[in-house]
Structure formats: C-alpha cells, structure tokens
Amino acid sequence: MSQPKIARIDQSKLRESAYDALHEAFTRGAFAPGETVSLRTLADQLGTSMTPVREAVRRLVAEGALVDTPSRTLEVPPFDADRMRELKSARLALEALLLEEAMDRIDKDVITGLEKIISAPRSETGTPDLKQNYDFHFTLYRQSRSRVILPLVEALWLQYGAFLNLVVREQAAGEIPEHIHHEEIIAALRDNDRKSAQRSLALDIERSFKLLLPES
Amino acid sequence: MSQPKIARIDQSKLRESAYDALHEAFTRGAFAPGETVSLRTLADQLGTSMTPVREAVRRLVAEGALVDTPSRTLEVPPFDADRMRELKSARLALEALLLEEAMDRIDKDVITGLEKIISAPRSETGTPDLKQNYDFHFTLYRQSRSRVILPLVEALWLQYGAFLNLVVREQAAGEIPEHIHHEEIIAALRDNDRKSAQRSLALDIERSFKLLLPES
DNA sequence: TTGCGTGTGATCTGTGATATTTTATACCAT
DNA sequence: ATGGTATAAAATATCACAGATCACACGCAA
C-alpha cells in the first residue's frame, strides 16, 4: 500500500470559490444591513454563471448572513437590536467552549502566532482592523479542533459582520482599544490561566457589541 | 389599501418543500450515519427536478446534516464520538439560553400544550418517540422567539438526528424514561422555578446522549 | 490450475450552463 | 386611483460534461 506522492488537484468547485469570496466580503463589512443583492449581479461580478452563486447563497442563507424576502429577492438582514443581543449571548456561550478546548491543546508556537497577528501594523486607512480581529479569534479557536461548534461560531460572526458595516463610519469616534483584551488573553494563555482567559475573552466580546448595543 | 383576506398558499417553493421533507426524515432518524445519498435519487423520490433538491441539500450541508466527500458524493456523517461530545456541550449551552428566554414569555396555554404532547399515546410500533421528543423541546424553545439561537439548535438536532438511527434498534433494551425529565420541566415551568427547570433540561439532554456516549 | 492485480467499459455521480416558466414590480394609460 | 402591460428577476427544468465507482474479464505469476 503506497502513499500518494502528489496532492490532489482541487478541481473547479466554483461554488466554494463563490462562497469564499462572499464570506470574505461579509467579514469585511462590505454589505450593509437592509441592502438587497441579486443573483445575477453577483454572478456577473464573480464571472461565473448563476448556478454556483445560487448554491453559495443558499449556504449563506442557512448561516443567517442573507435572508429570503417574501418577494423572492435576497437581502442582508436589517439591523435588529434583539438579534444583536442574541448574537452576543450565543457568542459568549459558544466561544467560551471553544476557548476551553483550545487551551487543552494550544502550544507555544500558536501563541507566538497570535502575538504576531495583533502586532501587525494597523491599517493606515483608518478602517478598523476587522480582519485582524477575525484572524486573532479564529486562529485561537481553531486550536480546539472543533468540527461542530466552530462552524456555528463562524455563522455567528457572519451575521455580525454585516452590522459592522454600520459601525465603520463612527469607529474613529468610538476609539475602542480592541487589542487590550487580546493582549490579556495572550498573557493568560501563556500562564495557562483559564479563569483569566475566559474573563478577558468575555470582555472582548462585550466590547465588540458596545457600539451596536450602547445600553448594555 | 386593502389587506389580503386570505393567506397565500405557499405554492412553488419546491426548495422549501424538499428541505422540509428531508428535515423531517432526519429528525425521524431515517438516514443512517455513513449512508450516501444521491441528488437524482432524492429528486425522483420527491417528484421534482434536481435543482430544488440541490439547493435543499446545500442547506443541509451548511447545517452539518450532510457532508461532501472528496469524491464529490454526499454522505450522512459517520458516527464520531468527538463530534457527539461537541453536540452535547453545544446543546447544553444553547438550549439553556433558549429555556431562559422562553421562561420570560411562556403562558399557561403553552404549558398545557406541552402536557398534551407528552401525554399523547406512545407509538405502538415500539420505535422511540423521536417526534414527540422533538415537538416537546421545540414548542418550548419557540416561546423564546429566538431568531438566532433557535436555528442553531435546529441544526444541532439535525446532526444528532442521524445518530439516533443507530440507537433505534437497541432502544427497547435501553428503556430510557424520557418523559420523566419532561414532566419535571413542566412542573418547574408551572412554578416558574428557573433553577429547577434548567437542571431538569440538562438532565434530559444528558439522557439523550447516554446510549451514544456510554462513558459519560 | 489458482490467485491476484489490472485494465475496460457501463453506469452512476455532481457540476455548471442554459432554456423555460413563474412571479413581482414598475410604468403607463385610462 | 385603477387596471393592464411590459420588464426583470428568481425558480425550476433540462442538458452536456467530467470524474468516480463497480463489475467483470483478461493476463501473468506461483
């Protein structure tokens, strides 16, 4: 029994490419809540036919990033404070589980990687570092090797991502020091201090929603 | 501006019908872990073309009820104890949140409805009352009016559903008294005793996994 | 002869594109 | 305002294609 010497070529799979492109756009806050999108437009922009886009869109709908309207168009869910509160409590519950699992397995190299992520030069454009924040959390969560909860959390971030679009404008005024909690988390990881790590993560999640849920 | 007097018949939407049919089949434990399914076969059985089935299947994949294989076929995820443990902790975390919200809003009529569900005649066929269990939990959870967490929990049940197929055979031997915890939950709802309701729900979820995760 | 690996082809699969049908909305005339 | 029509979009069906699987026969070696 010989092991394969060469890797499989990852054939076509336009559906995956389309999904990846849209996923990236969502985490970037490229879509505004309430905005409607058209399959044909997306297909044109991606340079494919409607079929792969449709399947990618079906997945996004299943994940809550898009919703079907009664008139059979697609729209980015409009802002909704109740939904936002649910996103927050779901994130608090599930990301705590991921952190717990991750701390069972994480090694020094990954922690160093996390430090590298947050110490990367902040973007010069004045836009908040959405991608940096995403990368920090998910390289941490991926250490959990979770195959059930991690996809759920990805879906939550996807829903949350659209709302970030609303925040980007006033971000400069908000001046949220997001890296503070990230540094606390890294320190706790080094000390293997679970309590402290959980507390810092919870604070970081709370922080994420401060601008969108001012009352809390 | 006149309001429509009669409800729309939700014609067409074959995609939704296909999804509903498959969803029902999963919660019924109709599919066995490891089993492969074919778009054409499903389309034939449902009496539609491949297209609606394909989109329904895309959603099921997004929810984790089906997975794509490297050879581009579809299969029901094979049994996996790690996945099972994740399902359990995710259910414990999220359903606790739903119960909390539900207890803020539930009224007497719904509690009576819950009693009616569990007092319905147990199926004569010897098969466990999967649907009865499903209906009990979700009529309760629906009271939370959740639009974020509830779909996540549905997805978890969908993944869990396939594994139930494995249990059905030995169920008679297991002889699990599932209605015990359900009755405790109802009593706690009547007393508005949150602590007790949460405890009973957790026990009920633990019970669900007893046969599949004997070690715990 | 027996056993095992190998190639072959029929048949199945998902994928992607496109044609057809259905529905919703905007527009225009009345 | 009302009603009909035109237009555009989504939903569905159908088709062409490339890859994967399986059964089976063939050939070589022990």
Side-chain angles (χ1 to χ4, degrees):
Chain A
M1 173 84 47
S2 70
Q3 290 294 339
K5 300 282 191 306
I6 56 175
R8 298 179 62 92
I9 57 170
D10 182 2
Q11 70 201 21
S12 12
K13 301 224 284 189
L14 290 189
R15 184 211 312 143
E16 293 301 320
S17 310
Y19 175 81
D20 290 344
L22 292 173
H23 184 285
E24 189 273 338
F26 267 96
T27 62
R28 188 157 36 95
F31 292 101
E35 186 178 350
T36 71
V37 299
S38 138
L39 290 182
R40 282 178 168 76
T41 305
L42 292 177
D44 285 348
Q45 292 177 0
L46 294 169
T48 73
S49 156
M50 282 175 59
T51 311
V53 176
R54 209 157 58 206
E55 302 189 21
V57 160
R58 274 308 122 203
R59 178 169 170 191
L60 290 167
V61 171
E63 293 170 337
L66 291 172
V67 294
D68 292 308
T69 67
S71 60
R72 309 203 298 178
T73 60
L74 293 162
E75 73 168 16
V76 182
F79 180 83
D80 180 325
D82 285 333
R83 234 164 70 85
M84 192 70 66
R85 270 184 285 269
E86 277 201 72
L87 281 174
K88 185 169 116 180
S89 55
R91 280 192 56 191
L92 285 168
L94 293 181
E95 294 179 30
L97 294 176
L98 289 182
L99 175 58
E100 203 62 28
E101 284 291 318
M103 288 189 80
D104 288 339
R105 310 178 207 277
I106 201 166
D107 62 19
K108 289 227 178 303
D109 291 346
V110 176
I111 299 180
T112 307
L114 289 174
E115 273 180 331
K116 197 155 297 176
I117 288 172
I118 67 168
S119 67
R122 327 237 346 131
S123 64
E124 328 73 16
T125 61
T127 66
D129 288 298
L130 300 182
K131 177 159 173 36
Q132 178 175 309
N133 187 42
Y134 179 91
D135 287 343
F136 175 83
H137 282 269
F138 280 91
T139 54
L140 172 56
Y141 298 153
R142 264 192 289 274
Q143 299 309 306
S144 68
R145 299 251 169 274
S146 161
R147 279 173 307 149
V148 173
I149 300 178
L150 188 58
L152 295 183
V153 173
E154 291 242 31
L156 292 174
W157 279 66
L158 217 49
Q159 297 182 44
Y160 170 71
F163 295 130
L164 286 176
N165 178 287
L166 295 177
V167 171
V168 169
R169 289 84 186 230
E170 27 187 341
Q171 181 74 356
E175 204 60 54
I176 305 286
E178 73 183 5
H179 49 284
I180 296 289
H181 298 305
H182 292 174
E183 282 163 9
E184 291 172 2
I185 291 171
I186 287 176
L189 291 175
R190 285 214 186 282
D191 299 345
N192 198 30
D193 181 345
R194 293 176 124 77
K195 267 262 180 69
S196 169
Q198 290 287 358
R199 187 160 8 94
S200 297
L201 176 60
L203 286 173
D204 187 54
I205 294 173
E206 301 272 359
R207 176 200 60 73
S208 301
F209 287 89
K210 272 281 160 42
L211 279 173
L212 294 163
L213 287 175
E215 70 270 23
S216 68
Chain B
M1 171 89 43
S2 70
Q3 290 293 339
K5 299 283 190 306
I6 55 175
R8 300 184 59 92
I9 57 170
D10 68 11
Q11 65 194 31
S12 53
K13 301 224 285 189
L14 290 189
R15 183 209 313 144
E16 292 301 320
S17 309
Y19 175 82
D20 290 345
L22 294 173
H23 185 285
E24 189 273 338
F26 267 96
T27 62
R28 188 158 37 93
F31 292 102
E35 186 178 349
T36 70
V37 298
S38 134
L39 292 182
R40 282 181 173 80
T41 305
L42 292 177
D44 284 349
Q45 291 176 1
L46 295 169
T48 73
S49 153
M50 281 174 60
T51 311
V53 175
R54 226 149 81 187
E55 302 190 24
V57 160
R58 275 308 121 203
R59 177 168 170 190
L60 290 167
V61 171
E63 293 171 336
L66 291 171
V67 294
D68 292 309
T69 68
S71 59
R72 308 204 301 180
T73 61
L74 292 162
E75 75 168 16
V76 183
F79 180 83
D80 180 324
D82 285 332
R83 234 165 69 86
M84 191 70 67
R85 272 183 284 270
E86 278 202 70
L87 282 174
K88 185 169 115 179
S89 55
R91 281 192 55 191
L92 284 168
L94 293 182
E95 295 180 28
L97 295 176
L98 289 182
L99 175 58
E100 202 63 29
E101 284 292 317
M103 289 188 78
D104 288 339
R105 309 177 207 276
I106 201 167
D107 62 21
K108 291 228 177 303
D109 290 346
V110 176
I111 299 180
T112 308
L114 289 174
E115 274 179 331
K116 197 154 296 175
I117 289 174
I118 67 169
S119 67
R122 323 229 358 125
S123 65
E124 329 73 17
T125 61
T127 65
D129 290 298
L130 300 182
K131 179 162 172 30
Q132 177 175 307
N133 188 39
Y134 180 91
D135 286 342
F136 176 82
H137 282 269
F138 281 90
T139 54
L140 172 56
Y141 298 153
R142 262 191 290 275
Q143 299 309 306
S144 69
R145 299 249 170 275
S146 161
R147 280 172 305 149
V148 173
I149 300 177
L150 188 57
L152 295 183
V153 172
E154 291 242 30
L156 293 173
W157 279 66
L158 217 49
Q159 296 182 45
Y160 170 71
F163 295 130
L164 287 177
N165 178 288
L166 295 176
V167 170
V168 170
R169 288 85 185 229
E170 29 187 339
Q171 181 74 357
E175 203 59 54
I176 306 284
E178 74 182 4
H179 48 285
I180 296 289
H181 298 305
H182 291 176
E183 283 162 10
E184 291 172 1
I185 291 170
I186 288 176
L189 290 175
R190 285 214 186 284
D191 300 344
N192 199 29
D193 181 345
R194 293 175 123 78
K195 267 261 180 70
S196 169
Q198 291 286 357
R199 186 161 8 95
S200 297
L201 176 60
L203 286 172
D204 186 54
I205 295 173
E206 301 272 358
R207 176 201 59 75
S208 302
F209 288 89
K210 274 279 159 43
L211 279 173
L212 294 164
L213 287 175
E215 72 272 24
S216 69

